[in-house]
Amino acid sequence: MASIFTRIVNGEIPSYKVAEDDRFYAFLDINPVQPGHTLVIPKQEVDYIFDLDNDTYAGLTLFAKKVAEAIKAAVTCRKVGMAVIGLEVPHAHIHLVPMQAEKDMDFARHAELPASEMTAIAEAIAGQFAKL
Ligand code: AMP
């Protein structure tokens, strides 16, 4: 069965998309640890990030770098943190989290933001991404 992230890429499940190209897709985490928390995935469905072929792995990290630049421009933060967990969804993904402090990378502390706020954040990041 297709992963939930493959279903997002295929448009079967909605997402707050911030960026996409032919191989990669970025969208807001539905339960963000900070506003602007973004997931970056390969469209190819592979569970464990370190099982990706080298070209896809390198492409994913370069795409995430560009998304991080867009997040930094769109969301007030000192830096954008990067993490890989992957215990919940079996489709490789990188977490990008705008940070003011180290505690902002606490993945045990998820929140839920109103849809209007999620939409506004996604549009702001997408707008910055389009300028890069
Ligand atoms: P993990 O696999 O442990 O890295 O965590 C998966 C992440 O995906 C969690 O932060 C979830 O909040 C997030 N997530 C799960 N389902 C969705 C979805 N439909 N849209 C956006 N984010 C999701």
Side-chain angles (χ1 to χ4, degrees):
M1 200 178 83
S3 77
I4 190 163
F5 289 172
T6 293
R7 296 181 68 203
I8 284 174
V9 168
N10 292 341
E12 296 163 22
I13 293 177
S15 69
Y16 296 98
K17 181 171 107 172
V18 304
E20 178 178 21
D21 71 6
D22 56 332
R23 292 198 298 159
F24 306 105
Y25 192 94
F27 56 107
L28 296 185
D29 193 296
I30 202 76
N31 290 124
V33 298
Q34 289 296 318
H37 177 181
T38 299
L39 303 176
V40 186
I41 66 170
K43 291 183 177 179
Q44 181 193 4
E45 186 177 323
V46 171
D47 175 357
Y48 185 43
I49 193 166
F50 297 122
D51 284 336
L52 291 172
D53 64 81
N54 287 350
D55 185 57
T56 305
Y57 178 80
L60 178 67
T61 56
L62 287 174
F63 191 79
K65 182 182 180 198
K66 201 170 156 188
V67 174
E69 205 178 318
I71 294 171
K72 180 85 168 52
V75 181
T76 304
C77 62
R78 283 178 60 197
K79 289 187 174 177
V80 174
M82 182 167 111
V84 173
I85 304 175
L87 292 174
E88 182 187 321
V89 177
H91 185 138
H93 52 281
I94 291 173
H95 294 260
L96 297 175
V97 179
M99 302 178 298
Q100 297 288 5
E102 187 181 334
K103 66 175 174 48
D104 294 340
M105 292 294 281
D106 180 359
F107 286 86
R109 215 165 39 95
H110 289 267
E112 206 171 316
L113 299 178
S116 57
E117 197 175 332
M118 293 288 274
T119 300
I121 294 168
E123 285 176 0
I125 298 171
Q128 292 297 329
F129 188 87
K131 292 186 199 166
L132 297 173

Short mmCIF file of all heavy atoms in Angstrom, two decimals, residues 21-24 41-44 46 49-64 94:
data_model
loop_
_atom_site.label_atom_id
_atom_site.label_comp_id
_atom_site.label_asym_id
_atom_site.label_seq_id
_atom_site.Cartn_x
_atom_site.Cartn_y
_atom_site.Cartn_z
N ASP A 21 9.61 19.71 -7.12
CA ASP A 21 10.16 19.59 -8.47
C ASP A 21 9.84 18.19 -8.96
O ASP A 21 8.97 17.53 -8.39
CB ASP A 21 11.66 19.98 -8.51
CG ASP A 21 12.58 18.97 -7.85
OD1 ASP A 21 12.10 17.88 -7.43
OD2 ASP A 21 13.78 19.24 -7.76
N ASP A 22 10.52 17.73 -9.99
CA ASP A 22 10.13 16.43 -10.53
C ASP A 22 10.44 15.27 -9.59
O ASP A 22 9.80 14.22 -9.65
CB ASP A 22 10.78 16.21 -11.92
CG ASP A 22 12.29 16.35 -11.87
OD1 ASP A 22 12.80 17.09 -11.01
OD2 ASP A 22 12.97 15.71 -12.69
N ARG A 23 11.41 15.45 -8.67
CA ARG A 23 11.82 14.33 -7.81
C ARG A 23 11.52 14.52 -6.32
O ARG A 23 11.52 13.55 -5.56
CB ARG A 23 13.32 14.09 -7.96
CG ARG A 23 13.72 13.56 -9.32
CD ARG A 23 15.09 12.94 -9.29
NE ARG A 23 16.13 13.89 -8.93
CZ ARG A 23 17.32 13.55 -8.45
NH1 ARG A 23 17.62 12.28 -8.26
NH2 ARG A 23 18.21 14.47 -8.18
N PHE A 24 11.26 15.77 -5.90
CA PHE A 24 11.13 16.03 -4.46
C PHE A 24 9.92 16.90 -4.17
O PHE A 24 9.43 17.63 -5.05
CB PHE A 24 12.42 16.71 -3.93
CG PHE A 24 13.64 15.91 -4.26
CD1 PHE A 24 14.50 16.33 -5.26
CD2 PHE A 24 13.89 14.70 -3.63
CE1 PHE A 24 15.61 15.57 -5.61
CE2 PHE A 24 15.00 13.93 -3.98
CZ PHE A 24 15.87 14.37 -4.96
N ILE A 41 10.59 15.42 1.18
CA ILE A 41 10.59 13.99 0.85
C ILE A 41 11.00 13.76 -0.61
O ILE A 41 10.79 14.62 -1.46
CB ILE A 41 9.19 13.35 1.08
CG1 ILE A 41 8.15 13.95 0.10
CG2 ILE A 41 8.72 13.55 2.50
CD1 ILE A 41 6.82 13.21 0.10
N PRO A 42 11.55 12.59 -0.88
CA PRO A 42 11.69 12.18 -2.29
C PRO A 42 10.33 11.64 -2.74
O PRO A 42 9.60 11.04 -1.94
CB PRO A 42 12.72 11.05 -2.23
CG PRO A 42 12.55 10.46 -0.86
CD PRO A 42 12.07 11.56 0.04
N LYS A 43 9.98 11.86 -3.99
CA LYS A 43 8.72 11.29 -4.49
C LYS A 43 8.81 9.77 -4.56
O LYS A 43 7.80 9.07 -4.41
CB LYS A 43 8.38 11.90 -5.86
CG LYS A 43 8.00 13.37 -5.74
CD LYS A 43 7.58 13.96 -7.07
CE LYS A 43 7.15 15.42 -6.88
NZ LYS A 43 6.74 16.05 -8.15
N GLN A 44 10.01 9.30 -4.78
CA GLN A 44 10.23 7.85 -4.76
C GLN A 44 10.01 7.33 -3.34
O GLN A 44 10.55 7.90 -2.38
CB GLN A 44 11.68 7.57 -5.19
CG GLN A 44 12.05 6.10 -5.23
CD GLN A 44 13.56 5.91 -5.35
OE1 GLN A 44 14.33 6.85 -5.32
NE2 GLN A 44 13.98 4.67 -5.46
N VAL A 46 10.72 5.24 -0.44
CA VAL A 46 11.70 4.39 0.24
C VAL A 46 11.55 4.69 1.72
O VAL A 46 11.47 5.87 2.10
CB VAL A 46 13.14 4.71 -0.24
CG1 VAL A 46 14.18 3.98 0.62
CG2 VAL A 46 13.32 4.35 -1.70
N ILE A 49 15.85 6.58 5.11
CA ILE A 49 16.57 7.58 4.32
C ILE A 49 17.95 7.08 3.87
O ILE A 49 18.39 7.39 2.76
CB ILE A 49 16.67 8.92 5.10
CG1 ILE A 49 17.13 10.05 4.18
CG2 ILE A 49 17.55 8.79 6.33
CD1 ILE A 49 16.94 11.44 4.75
N PHE A 50 18.60 6.28 4.69
CA PHE A 50 19.95 5.84 4.33
C PHE A 50 19.93 4.62 3.39
O PHE A 50 20.98 4.11 3.02
CB PHE A 50 20.80 5.60 5.58
CG PHE A 50 20.99 6.87 6.39
CD1 PHE A 50 20.60 6.95 7.72
CD2 PHE A 50 21.55 8.00 5.80
CE1 PHE A 50 20.76 8.12 8.44
CE2 PHE A 50 21.70 9.18 6.51
CZ PHE A 50 21.31 9.24 7.83
N ASP A 51 18.71 4.21 2.99
CA ASP A 51 18.58 3.22 1.92
C ASP A 51 18.40 3.88 0.55
O ASP A 51 18.37 3.18 -0.48
CB ASP A 51 17.38 2.29 2.16
CG ASP A 51 17.64 1.25 3.23
OD1 ASP A 51 18.83 0.94 3.47
OD2 ASP A 51 16.66 0.77 3.85
N LEU A 52 18.26 5.22 0.51
CA LEU A 52 18.13 5.90 -0.78
C LEU A 52 19.41 5.70 -1.59
O LEU A 52 20.51 5.66 -1.03
CB LEU A 52 17.91 7.40 -0.57
CG LEU A 52 16.57 7.84 0.03
CD1 LEU A 52 16.60 9.33 0.35
CD2 LEU A 52 15.42 7.51 -0.90
N ASP A 53 19.28 5.64 -2.91
CA ASP A 53 20.48 5.61 -3.74
C ASP A 53 21.20 6.96 -3.58
O ASP A 53 20.58 7.97 -3.22
CB ASP A 53 20.13 5.32 -5.20
CG ASP A 53 19.29 6.42 -5.81
OD1 ASP A 53 19.86 7.45 -6.21
OD2 ASP A 53 18.05 6.28 -5.85
N ASN A 54 22.49 6.97 -3.83
CA ASN A 54 23.30 8.15 -3.55
C ASN A 54 22.79 9.40 -4.26
O ASN A 54 22.78 10.50 -3.69
CB ASN A 54 24.76 7.91 -3.95
CG ASN A 54 25.46 6.97 -2.99
OD1 ASN A 54 24.91 6.65 -1.92
ND2 ASN A 54 26.65 6.53 -3.35
N ASP A 55 22.35 9.23 -5.49
CA ASP A 55 21.91 10.39 -6.27
C ASP A 55 20.64 10.99 -5.65
O ASP A 55 20.52 12.22 -5.53
CB ASP A 55 21.67 9.95 -7.72
CG ASP A 55 21.31 11.13 -8.59
OD1 ASP A 55 22.11 12.09 -8.63
OD2 ASP A 55 20.24 11.12 -9.20
N THR A 56 19.70 10.14 -5.25
CA THR A 56 18.46 10.64 -4.65
C THR A 56 18.75 11.26 -3.28
O THR A 56 18.20 12.30 -2.93
CB THR A 56 17.42 9.50 -4.52
OG1 THR A 56 17.23 8.91 -5.81
CG2 THR A 56 16.10 10.00 -4.00
N TYR A 57 19.62 10.62 -2.51
CA TYR A 57 19.99 11.15 -1.19
C TYR A 57 20.62 12.54 -1.32
O TYR A 57 20.24 13.48 -0.61
CB TYR A 57 20.95 10.18 -0.49
CG TYR A 57 21.43 10.66 0.85
CD1 TYR A 57 20.63 10.51 1.99
CD2 TYR A 57 22.68 11.25 1.00
CE1 TYR A 57 21.06 10.96 3.23
CE2 TYR A 57 23.11 11.70 2.23
CZ TYR A 57 22.31 11.55 3.34
OH TYR A 57 22.73 12.01 4.56
N ALA A 58 21.56 12.66 -2.24
CA ALA A 58 22.22 13.96 -2.44
C ALA A 58 21.21 15.00 -2.94
O ALA A 58 21.20 16.14 -2.48
CB ALA A 58 23.38 13.81 -3.43
N GLY A 59 20.35 14.59 -3.87
CA GLY A 59 19.34 15.51 -4.40
C GLY A 59 18.38 15.96 -3.31
O GLY A 59 17.98 17.14 -3.27
N LEU A 60 18.00 15.03 -2.44
CA LEU A 60 17.08 15.36 -1.35
C LEU A 60 17.70 16.41 -0.42
O LEU A 60 17.04 17.39 -0.04
CB LEU A 60 16.73 14.10 -0.56
CG LEU A 60 15.81 14.28 0.65
CD1 LEU A 60 14.39 14.69 0.20
CD2 LEU A 60 15.73 13.00 1.48
N THR A 61 18.96 16.23 -0.06
CA THR A 61 19.59 17.18 0.87
C THR A 61 19.78 18.54 0.20
O THR A 61 19.62 19.58 0.84
CB THR A 61 20.93 16.64 1.42
OG1 THR A 61 21.79 16.33 0.32
CG2 THR A 61 20.73 15.40 2.24
N LEU A 62 20.07 18.56 -1.10
CA LEU A 62 20.21 19.85 -1.80
C LEU A 62 18.86 20.54 -1.92
O LEU A 62 18.77 21.76 -1.79
CB LEU A 62 20.85 19.64 -3.17
CG LEU A 62 22.34 19.32 -3.14
CD1 LEU A 62 22.84 18.98 -4.54
CD2 LEU A 62 23.12 20.50 -2.57
N PHE A 63 17.82 19.77 -2.17
CA PHE A 63 16.47 20.36 -2.25
C PHE A 63 16.09 20.91 -0.86
O PHE A 63 15.56 22.02 -0.74
CB PHE A 63 15.48 19.30 -2.72
CG PHE A 63 14.13 19.85 -3.08
CD1 PHE A 63 13.92 20.48 -4.29
CD2 PHE A 63 13.06 19.75 -2.20
CE1 PHE A 63 12.68 21.01 -4.64
CE2 PHE A 63 11.82 20.27 -2.52
CZ PHE A 63 11.62 20.90 -3.75
N ALA A 64 16.41 20.15 0.19
CA ALA A 64 16.11 20.59 1.56
C ALA A 64 16.87 21.88 1.90
O ALA A 64 16.36 22.76 2.60
CB ALA A 64 16.46 19.49 2.56
N ILE A 94 13.01 14.53 5.62
CA ILE A 94 13.85 15.41 6.44
C ILE A 94 12.92 16.42 7.10
O ILE A 94 12.08 17.02 6.43
CB ILE A 94 14.89 16.14 5.57
CG1 ILE A 94 15.93 15.13 5.06
CG2 ILE A 94 15.56 17.27 6.35
CD1 ILE A 94 16.92 15.74 4.05
#
